[in-house]
Amino acid sequence: MANAQKAIGVLTSGGDAPGMNAVVRSVVRSALNRNMRVLGIKRGYSGLLHKDVMEMNLRSVSDTLQRGGTVLYTARCPEFCDDAGVEKGRQACTELGIDGLVVIGGDGSFRGARDLSLKGIPCIGIPATIDNDIASSNYTIGFDTALNTVMEMVDKLRDTSQSHDRCSLVEVMGRHCGDIALYAGIACGAVAILVPEVPFTIDAIVEKMNRTLGTGKKHFIIVVAEGVTNSNGIGSVHDIAREIQARTGVESRATVLGHVQRGGVPTARERVLASEMGYHAVELLEKGIGNRVVVSRENQIVDLDILEALNMKRIFNQHLYDVADAISI
């Protein structure tokens, strides 16, 4: 008797990130190329629990490579955080005939994938989050596009800051990870970059601005990660702007970029990496291998045990921060 055709599921979970569609496309086409069926699961783990799925074919992912967001939609699923929810997910996979699952998201999504793997459903995680805060991967899908979006927005703000001799404070996403602020700050020539990983004082910012004013510069950009203003009673980015204006005499305005950072056409880097990761995930599932996360390490696509990946500690790039501080004068 011939072996039954293997079927895999694919879902996107947590916050959306540009490049997610490129991963889905790669998973679908890589699996179909291996004579595997693919079920697209809508709205993450919530869709799995409700068995909200669709059979996917080659044309299901046509013209999605360049699209932001996720064609499978995404949602948070508190129910999947406990064992009863995970067991319900296992039963759904069994009833749907899903032999393995590709989970595209962040650490929270990977915890669900680990729990489901332990119940006998092989799961592969792929890191997709604009924050670049997955410790096991040097790079996450969505970060490069978000970074370029921030750079474009700050460049536009610089035009009006220069015209009015202003200081523009730009709040970007990053509650616990300051990578968007750090990289965007360097790319945009910010005079100061405020991140959750490095303590700062208004005194230090004011002192640096005053030194720079003495060299003849009259306008400034300061990039602030949202995590900075969510802790230590510092107040909002608007409060920081008012304090800087009061102490330097430079008109200061705050701009919160918000969710515009999540959208947009994924960059070439995102599309290539997403395609590689999706392909690698399917290779693993074809062999019946689960409980792995596909990551980028030292310019190589590799896979790690999910628990090992989750236990890794993210290391802030202090050297890059020092570079930024040295050249932002």
Side-chain angles (χ1 to χ4, degrees):
M1 182 177 177
N3 292 332
Q5 185 182 25
K6 180 171 285 192
I8 65 171
V10 56
L11 62 82
T12 52
S13 176
D16 61 302
M20 279 183 163
N21 286 327
V23 182
V24 173
R25 174 181 179 270
S26 179
V27 168
V28 170
R29 293 190 171 175
S30 297
L32 293 174
N33 189 51
R34 289 172 167 78
N35 195 33
M36 300 162 72
R37 292 176 56 229
V38 185
L39 295 177
I41 301 166
K42 296 181 180 179
R43 297 178 178 84
Y45 289 119
S46 178
L48 176 62
L49 297 184
H50 292 91
K51 291 181 275 194
D52 185 7
V53 303
M54 60 180 179
E55 185 94 20
M56 302 191 79
N57 57 40
L58 291 174
R59 300 283 70 82
S60 300
V61 289
S62 293
D63 296 322
T64 60
L65 183 66
Q66 76 280 10
R67 291 171 59 182
T70 164
V71 294
L72 291 178
Y73 307 100
T74 185
R76 311 287 182 183
C77 186
E79 186 179 355
F80 211 77
C81 293
D82 59 44
D83 187 69
V86 177
E87 175 58 25
K88 185 177 176 181
R90 184 199 66 77
Q91 292 174 3
C93 286
T94 300
E95 292 170 14
L96 292 166
I98 293 175
D99 300 301
L101 190 63
V102 178
V103 175
I104 306 162
D107 276 346
S109 304
F110 297 163
R111 289 187 179 90
R114 176 201 60 192
D115 294 342
L116 200 53
S117 290
L118 293 176
K119 287 187 176 289
I121 306 297
C123 294
I124 306 296
I126 295 181
T129 165
I130 68 168
D131 290 331
N132 203 40
D133 60 351
I134 305 298
S136 57
S137 189
N138 298 144
Y139 176 82
T140 63
I141 293 163
F143 175 64
D144 192 57
T145 304
L147 185 59
N148 278 276
T149 296
V150 171
M151 185 176 68
E152 181 183 355
M153 297 297 102
V154 174
D155 284 348
K156 293 178 186 297
L157 279 170
R158 179 185 295 281
D159 293 341
T160 191
S161 295
Q162 184 173 18
S163 298
H164 293 271
D165 290 336
R166 280 183 189 145
C167 174
S168 287
L169 288 87
V170 185
E171 184 182 276
V172 301
M173 286 185 167
R175 287 188 182 135
H176 307 291
C177 173
D179 277 12
I180 292 178
L182 176 57
Y183 284 75
I186 293 174
C188 299
V191 70
I193 301 170
L194 311 186
V195 294
E197 296 90 342
V198 181
F200 80 96
T201 64
I202 299 293
D203 288 341
I205 297 171
V206 169
E207 191 275 332
K208 192 169 192 180
M209 285 180 61
N210 283 334
R211 276 195 289 120
T212 306
L213 284 166
T215 67
K217 185 170 182 176
K218 303 297 183 185
H219 66 280
F220 303 90
I221 297 291
I222 297 175
V223 180
V224 184
E226 63 180 327
V228 168
T229 57
N230 288 339
S231 62
N232 301 323
I234 292 168
S236 71
V237 67
H238 300 281
D239 294 327
I240 297 174
R242 282 191 286 270
E243 182 71 12
I244 287 174
Q245 179 169 319
R247 295 173 63 174
T248 64
V250 177
E251 182 184 4
S252 301
R253 302 280 182 90
T255 300
V256 179
L257 294 187
H259 285 84
V260 67
Q261 296 162 84
R262 288 198 179 278
V265 173
T267 63
R269 185 179 185 187
E270 309 279 25
R271 301 183 201 191
V272 173
L273 185 67
S275 299
E276 285 187 280
M277 286 184 166
Y279 180 89
H280 191 89
V282 172
E283 280 189 317
L284 292 171
L285 289 179
E286 185 183 32
K287 298 171 184 175
I289 298 172
N291 198 38
R292 309 293 287 180
V293 56
V294 177
V295 297
S296 173
R297 296 178 70 82
E298 298 178 357
N299 295 317
Q300 297 292 322
I301 302 300
V302 298
D303 55 273
L304 305 171
D305 177 86
I306 292 181
L307 186 58
E308 177 189 352
L310 288 171
N311 286 334
M312 288 181 175
K313 302 298 182 186
R314 195 181 72 84
I315 300 173
F316 179 70
N317 193 334
Q318 184 64 47
H319 172 71
L320 195 59
Y321 185 85
D322 293 340
V323 169
D325 186 57
I327 65 178
S328 57
I329 298 174

